[in-house]
Amino acid sequence: MLIISKALYGLHSSGLQWSERLADILRSMDFFPSKAEKDIWMCDKGDHYEHIAVHVDDLMIASRTPQVIVTALKLSQCIV
């Protein structure tokens, strides 16, 4: 389970700031948004793709090694 350590709840721009920060981090991890749905992120791993679906502040990770992605997100100080 991941918990946001620094919440921005209550601000009018909270959702935008969260999604921009997460997008920057996912891009740095070589993920790119789907052309059809901006909240589906993909990463080409050669023989397969990894996917992250984002809904508000929840993530659903489809990967052979999801713990690697979770650890990278923790290290990026995005979420703890």
Side-chain angles (χ1 to χ4, degrees):
M1 181 169 137
L2 300 174
I3 300 172
I4 299 172
S5 63
K6 294 183 180 178
L8 301 172
Y9 296 109
L11 300 175
H12 290 286
S13 60
S14 298
L16 178 62
Q17 289 180 356
W18 161 253
S19 63
E20 286 178 352
R21 174 75 175 134
L22 181 62
D24 290 343
I25 290 168
L26 291 176
R27 281 189 192 96
S28 73
M29 294 170 60
D30 296 327
F31 280 86
F32 58 93
S34 166
K35 291 181 182 179
E37 176 57 55
K38 65 180 178 112
D39 291 327
I40 303 292
W41 291 80
M42 302 172 285
C43 183
D44 185 358
K45 294 296 185 179
D47 63 339
H48 70 282
Y49 277 81
E50 294 181 333
H51 295 83
I52 298 177
V54 180
H55 178 71
V56 186
D57 60 357
D58 294 323
L59 305 177
M60 181 170 41
I61 301 170
S63 170
R64 290 182 181 169
T65 55
Q67 192 57 44
V68 172
I69 295 172
V70 171
T71 301
L73 288 171
K74 285 181 180 180
L75 292 175
S76 70
Q77 298 177 359
C78 174
I79 18 187
V80 177

